[in-house]
Amino acid sequence: MVAGTVNDLKNLKVELTRFMMSYKFALHEMNTKIDILKQEFHYIHEYNPIEHVKSRLKSPESILNKVKKKGYALSLPIIKEKIRDIAGIRITCSFISDIYEISNMLQRQKDITVVACKDYIKNPKPNGYQSLHLILQIPIFMSDREELMYVEIQIRTIAMDFWASLEHKIYYKYNKEVPEHLMAELKEAADSATKLDRKMEGIHKKMAVLKEEAQEEKDNSLELMLLNERFALPEDFLEKES
Ligand code: 0O2
C-alpha cells in the first residue's frame, strides 16, 4: 500500500470512530435527561409514567443499507444530515396521556430542538402501527468542539409496543406482499390494543379522581399522624389559631 493510501485509510478510521462516538454521546445525554424526568416524577408525584427505556445505535451495516436504499451519496456529512435515526431511544409509557406529557417535557428543554414530530397515534399507519416519533437535535460538548446531533425518540404505550414488537417479528421489513386477509387481522389486533389503552386510561383517570377526593378528606380532617401516632386536633385549638 502506498504511503498516501495508508494515511487516507488511517484518517478514515479516525473519522468513522469519531462519527459513531458522537452518536454514543448523544444517546448518553438524552438517556440522562429521560432518567432525570423519571426520578423527578417518582420523588414528587409518587408515580412513574415511564415503564421502560431502550436505546440503540444503528449498526454501520444498517446505516449503509439505508444510504443505499435512499440513494444518498456515501459521505459522512450527508449521512449525518440525512439519516436521523442513527441514535434511537424508545420510551414505553403506562398510559396514552403519559406519552404526550413526556414528549412535552422533552420539547420544553432549552437545549433540545424539535426537528420533526410524527404522530402515528392520532394518525396510525394503514397496518395499525401507533407511536409518537420525535426527531430531536441536541448539542454534545467535546474537548475541542460542540456538535449538534440528531436523536430519534419513539414514545408508545405497553400495548402499542407489544403490537409493534410482534408485527416487527412477523411482517415489518418483509419484502413480499403481505396477504390482504392477514393485513386485516393485523389491523384488527392494533384496534384491540387501542381499545385496551383507552379502557386503561379511563380507569386510571377515574382512580385519580377518587384518590384526590380521599386526599381532600384527609386534609380536611382534624386527625394527623405525629411521630407515627394518630393525633386528633382539638377543635378549639384550630379556632384559637385562626
Ligand atoms: P429499526 O430497525 O426499528 O430501526 P425513515 O425510513 O426513518 O427515513 P420513515 O419510514 O418515515 O423514514 O420513518 P418512520 O415512519 O418515522 O419510522 C421509522 C421507525 O419507526 C422504524 O425504524 C421502526 O422502528 C418504526 N416503524 C415504523 N413503521 C413501523 C411499522 O409499521 N411496524 C413496526 N413494527 N415498526 C415501525 P426502522 O429504521 O425502519 O427500523
Side-chain angles (χ1 to χ4, degrees):
M1 230 184 256
V2 284
T5 322
V6 172
N7 262 342
D8 284 351
L9 187 64
K10 216 169 138 188
N11 288 340
L12 181 66
K13 279 185 181 171
V14 172
E15 253 188 86
L16 282 174
T17 307
R18 270 188 172 267
F19 183 81
M20 289 313 286
M21 188 183 69
S22 304
Y23 286 102
K24 194 178 148 205
F25 294 156
L27 269 188
H28 195 79
E29 196 78 47
M30 275 309 303
N31 271 320
T32 304
K33 284 176 177 296
I34 295 165
D35 195 45
I36 288 175
L37 291 180
K38 197 173 161 179
Q39 289 199 42
E40 187 208 359
F41 246 87
H42 184 70
Y43 287 131
I44 310 289
H45 307 289
E46 289 175 355
Y47 166 70
N48 181 11
I50 297 176
E51 290 289 330
H52 39 90
V53 179
K54 223 165 109 183
S55 51
R56 66 108 183 87
L57 271 183
K58 223 178 180 66
S59 67
E61 194 191 351
S62 195
I63 298 172
L64 286 181
N65 284 342
K66 195 159 178 179
V67 169
K68 256 193 240 160
K69 196 171 127 198
K70 299 261 180 186
Y72 300 137
L74 204 56
S75 110
L76 288 184
I78 290 179
I79 294 175
K80 187 176 175 211
E81 188 45 40
K82 297 286 189 187
I83 307 215
R84 298 176 173 181
D85 65 343
I86 293 177
I89 299 183
R90 189 170 290 152
I91 306 175
T92 310
C93 294
S94 319
F95 302 101
I96 303 170
S97 51
D98 295 332
I99 297 176
Y100 293 100
E101 205 159 330
I102 298 284
S103 158
N104 289 337
M105 286 189 289
L106 287 174
Q107 295 197 36
R108 275 199 301 266
Q109 300 201 3
K110 278 202 189 104
D111 54 347
I112 290 181
T113 308
V114 185
V115 176
C117 174
K118 282 190 214 162
D119 192 339
Y120 292 124
I121 300 168
K122 294 210 167 83
N123 303 299
K125 282 195 165 184
N127 61 357
Y129 176 78
Q130 289 191 67
S131 204
L132 182 71
H133 290 192
L134 301 173
I135 301 289
L136 305 177
Q137 208 175 31
I138 55 158
I140 53 161
F141 302 93
M142 280 162 296
S143 56
D144 57 344
R145 70 212 149 92
E146 175 188 334
E147 246 187 273
L148 284 174
M149 305 300 301
Y150 290 115
V151 179
E152 186 198 59
I153 313 273
Q154 298 181 351
I155 320 179
R156 46 172 82 150
T157 61
I158 309 170
M160 292 171 194
D161 191 52
F162 170 73
W163 183 93
S165 303
L166 297 193
E167 189 263 359
H168 193 277
K169 273 194 186 148
I170 305 173
Y171 289 127
Y172 191 58
K173 294 185 174 174
Y174 182 69
N175 289 327
K176 296 178 194 139
E177 280 287 295
V178 175
E180 217 167 279
H181 67 283
L182 290 185
M183 278 298 281
E185 278 195 54
L186 199 65
K187 177 72 176 61
E188 244 175 64
D191 291 343
S192 303
T194 307
K195 230 170 145 185
L196 185 62
D197 264 337
R198 293 198 179 137
K199 186 92 195 154
M200 296 311 281
E201 177 102 39
I203 298 171
H204 171 61
K205 281 193 175 141
K206 282 179 198 154
M207 269 314 287
V209 171
L210 289 180
K211 244 172 131 180
E212 216 167 279
E213 282 170 3
Q215 187 59 43
E216 246 171 60
E217 230 171 78
K218 236 186 193 175
D219 292 345
N220 291 337
S221 120
L222 289 173
E223 267 194 5
L224 80 162
M225 292 293 280
L226 276 182
L227 302 173
N228 276 339
E229 277 192 34
R230 202 174 291 281
F231 174 73
L233 270 175
E235 249 175 77
D236 50 347
F237 182 67
L238 197 69
E239 275 156 22
K240 263 183 224 155
E241 285 297 300
S242 56

